[in-house]
Amino acid sequence: MAKTPPLMDLHIPTASSGFYSGFSKSVAIPSKILVSALIVWALAVPQTADTVLNALNGAILKSFATWYIYVAASFLILCVGLALMPSTGKLKLGRPGDEPEFSRFSWFSMMFGAGIGIGMLTFATAEPMYHFANNPNVIMGQTTGSGADNVTAAYVWSFLHWGFSAWACYALVGLCLAYFSYRRNLPLTVRSALTPLFGSRLSGFGGHFVDVVAVVATILGVAQTLGFGVEQFVAGLDRVGFGSWILKADGSPSTAGIVVALVIILGASTLSALSGVGKGIKWLSNLNMGLSFFLLAFFILFGSTFFGLHALFSGLLAYVEQLPRLLFTVWHPDGTKTGDALAAWQGSWSVFYWAWWIAFAPFVGVFLARISRGRSIREYVMGAVIVPSLMCFVWFTLVGGTAIDMTLNGTAGDAISSAGQESQLFVMLDLILHGGVAWAMALIVVVLLLTYLVTTADSAILIVNTINAAGEESPKGRGHIVFWGVALSFVVGAMLLVGGLEAIKTAMVIGALPFSFVMFLMCIALVKAVIRDGIRERNGVQSIHVAS
């Protein structure tokens, strides 16, 4: 009731000695068993695994497409609503005297690097090029595929998938965890966000189940991101002369290439995770943000800047104008060529993206909460939803816009559009530059990609460890950190070898579904908590934990 203080003590049983000292065995052991079972299953019977995963994926996309569309829309509406309301926007994620731990630059760098860095390098070129060739407007006959009249539409769909809705998924989880952890002194773990609904019962099986779901979703969501990154990293190594042995004849990564890439990436990630957020992850985040601005400056100087800026403003205006409709549009197969094509497109694109962001949300959300103590809800939403989205829009229009412009004016021919998504950025750089300068720029992209991969992986390892350790934030249990680094490597490697990125995508969509229900309950819990805390404050009842 709002006449009494909220729950400010959630006991999560942890081991007091042995290998699992400080960890919740009820979370850590089942999580490890489930992830290990997936790896063994995929490697032992790859054909069976591929068949079963595809069947489950098809059933989910058919039965839950509408759910994914609507639930993603609700996350964005809630985040923006809480930020805009005067009474809630000013609420601090912490006690009255708490101040932010990191500068705004470091805060934004870590948030951006963990949330979208890898995808930005791969998809800043690939996503606009895909939608430039085909999107719902083309399917409905409103624009021409690969025509000049399709540029704005291509960016509307690119912005939809990588803009406010994507970041709202991350921000919601982080907002819930920060609110309950820093205002109520609850453990920094997913179950804490559901205490307004289930109270102290989350100390038991229900809470353990929620945290296990979060861990599995995190591993699969991060595996999807790393899968894209590994393929581009291998393509980059080939471009800078690492050797043709890392690619197959069709241009996809070879088994040896995948193994080498994973050893480099996850080895560095594990070492960084052992040092914690304040050291390795912070340093790497600042480095990749600096390199990102360098690459962006390159495209401003040598890319199709005016074309990109026009695409930015026209696309952004159309995106904002159409967003209320796009958030709730669901296409169902209706037996017509157009209707079936729209439903298939939405399942392959929008529904896939909402599942990806939801699977990625426990990882990024816990990480955002970890670095956002002391900030107001309004500042948090601005920093976690609005600013990163605008940064993505700039990247997509300046980098992807250069690719589209070069295709339209004939400079590139079909060189960019015919390349795999992992190679399109390197192909474009070779068209803009020549000789040693092109090689040097490709090397910079490879280094930048590596820093993003390492930042994402080490953050994920640290977050999974935090959830397993009942919300304990400091790096602990070196053996556990190493285990999750190795496990993440094997998940990515096994899925890539079994069925490529499609296998990872399929497993991720399946893993995201249960966590989407958890996130929806988190929305309800947060609204309930904010309303009741407001009533408590007006009645003079304690609503914030006071340190003893």
Side-chain angles (χ1 to χ4, degrees):
M1 296 296 291
K3 295 181 180 180
T4 59
L7 179 68
M8 296 188 186
D9 181 24
L10 181 65
H11 175 66
I12 301 177
T14 57
S16 58
S17 62
F19 181 70
Y20 284 96
S21 177
F23 286 83
S24 170
K25 288 185 176 181
S26 300
V27 176
I29 294 176
S31 299
K32 290 178 178 179
I33 291 174
L34 287 172
V35 172
S36 300
L38 175 63
I39 295 170
V40 172
W41 181 47
L43 291 177
V45 283
Q47 290 298 113
T48 302
D50 188 49
T51 301
V52 173
L53 289 175
N54 282 326
L56 287 173
N57 181 59
I60 288 173
L61 291 180
K62 181 179 180 180
S63 304
F64 292 95
T66 302
W67 164 256
Y68 274 125
I69 298 292
Y70 287 162
V71 80
S74 69
F75 299 155
L76 176 59
I77 292 170
L78 179 58
C79 286
V80 173
L82 289 174
L84 291 179
M85 289 180 61
S87 60
T88 57
K90 66 181 180 181
L91 291 176
K92 178 178 283 192
L93 301 176
R95 294 188 286 265
D98 287 345
E99 295 297 329
E101 179 181 357
F102 303 100
S103 68
R104 280 196 173 93
F105 180 80
S106 291
W107 178 55
F108 178 72
S109 297
M110 287 189 285
M111 181 167 45
F112 192 79
I116 217 160
I118 300 170
M120 182 183 63
L121 281 178
T122 302
F123 286 96
T125 306
E127 180 97 0
M129 287 294 292
Y130 275 128
H131 298 321
F132 176 58
N134 188 45
N135 61 59
N137 299 77
V138 175
I139 295 172
M140 291 184 287
Q142 299 169 349
T143 57
T144 307
S146 300
D149 64 332
N150 196 36
V151 174
T152 297
Y155 277 105
V156 168
W157 294 105
S158 298
F159 292 171
L160 175 67
H161 296 150
W162 292 82
F164 303 142
S165 298
W167 285 94
C169 291
Y170 305 156
L172 173 71
V173 175
L175 178 58
C176 291
L177 297 180
Y179 189 91
F180 295 110
S181 180
Y182 301 142
R183 290 176 65 87
R184 298 187 177 181
N185 199 42
L186 298 178
L188 187 64
T189 187
V190 176
R191 73 176 77 188
S192 296
L194 299 179
T195 51
L197 300 180
F198 304 108
S200 58
R201 285 173 292 179
L202 290 169
S203 292
F205 173 79
H208 303 329
F209 177 79
V210 168
D211 283 348
V212 170
V213 167
V215 169
V216 174
T218 295
I219 292 297
L220 295 177
V222 172
Q224 177 69 66
T225 302
L226 293 178
F228 284 126
V230 165
E231 288 208 336
Q232 190 175 29
F233 183 64
V234 173
L237 292 178
D238 174 68
R239 172 60 188 85
V240 298
F242 208 79
S244 59
W245 56 271
I246 61 176
L247 293 179
K248 296 179 183 177
D250 61 0
S252 62
S254 66
T255 300
I258 292 173
V259 171
V260 168
L262 288 174
V263 168
I264 294 173
I265 295 163
L266 275 304
S269 302
T270 303
L271 293 176
S272 179
L274 288 169
S275 69
V277 174
K279 295 179 182 178
I281 297 176
K282 177 182 176 181
W283 184 86
L284 282 171
S285 297
N286 289 339
L287 173 63
N288 60 37
M289 184 56 65
L291 289 175
S292 296
F293 280 124
F294 173 79
L295 186 59
L296 185 62
F298 167 82
F299 277 99
I300 292 174
L301 292 174
F302 301 103
S304 302
T305 305
F306 291 108
F307 181 92
L309 290 175
H310 181 270
L312 173 63
F313 290 111
S314 64
L316 183 57
L317 181 64
Y319 166 65
V320 173
E321 178 187 3
Q322 298 175 35
L323 184 60
R325 174 176 58 83
L326 296 178
L327 285 176
F328 296 100
T329 296
V330 181
W331 286 301
H332 298 286
D334 59 5
T336 66
K337 181 179 179 181
T338 300
D340 291 351
L342 288 171
W345 186 93
Q346 189 171 54
S348 298
W349 287 96
S350 299
V351 174
F352 158 70
Y353 272 120
W354 302 155
W356 187 7
W357 304 145
I358 288 170
F360 214 47
F363 150 53
V364 183
V366 175
F367 188 72
L368 291 184
R370 168 65 184 83
I371 64 176
S372 299
R373 182 199 292 265
R375 302 189 186 275
S376 69
I377 289 180
R378 185 172 295 114
E379 180 185 13
Y380 173 84
V381 172
M382 283 292 295
V385 177
I386 307 301
V387 175
S389 295
L390 294 176
M391 185 68 178
C392 286
F393 298 162
V394 171
W395 263 93
F396 274 53
T397 50
L398 291 179
V399 180
T402 299
I404 291 177
D405 187 41
M406 295 176 72
T407 301
L408 276 174
N409 64 29
T411 302
D414 63 353
I416 299 174
S417 58
S418 62
Q421 66 181 25
E422 72 280 354
S423 302
Q424 288 181 339
L425 179 57
F426 297 109
V427 171
M428 182 167 57
L429 289 173
D430 285 339
L431 291 170
I432 298 173
L433 302 171
H434 302 283
V437 179
W439 179 88
M441 183 56 67
L443 180 62
I444 290 174
V445 172
V446 170
V447 173
L448 175 57
L449 181 61
L450 178 61
T451 63
Y452 272 130
L453 285 163
V454 172
T455 302
T456 299
D458 64 8
S459 300
I461 293 167
L462 194 62
I463 293 313
V464 166
N465 217 45
T466 297
I467 297 174
N468 286 326
E472 172 59 44
E473 301 174 41
S474 60
K476 60 188 297 184
R478 300 173 69 90
H480 299 279
I481 291 177
V482 171
F483 172 86
W484 287 112
V486 173
L488 192 53
S489 302
F490 271 96
V491 170
V492 176
M495 291 293 119
L496 283 176
L497 294 174
V498 166
L501 286 174
E502 285 301 316
I504 301 180
K505 181 189 296 187
T506 300
M508 181 274 301
V509 169
I510 296 169
L513 182 62
F515 194 71
S516 69
F517 294 108
V518 173
M519 285 182 66
F520 185 70
L521 290 175
M522 292 169 71
C523 289
I524 299 173
L526 181 62
V527 171
K528 179 180 179 181
V530 168
I531 292 174
R532 292 202 169 185
D533 280 355
I535 297 174
R536 289 185 180 100
E537 289 186 9
R538 289 193 294 273
N539 293 335
V541 178
Q542 178 186 357
S543 62
I544 302 176
H545 180 267
V546 179
S548 56

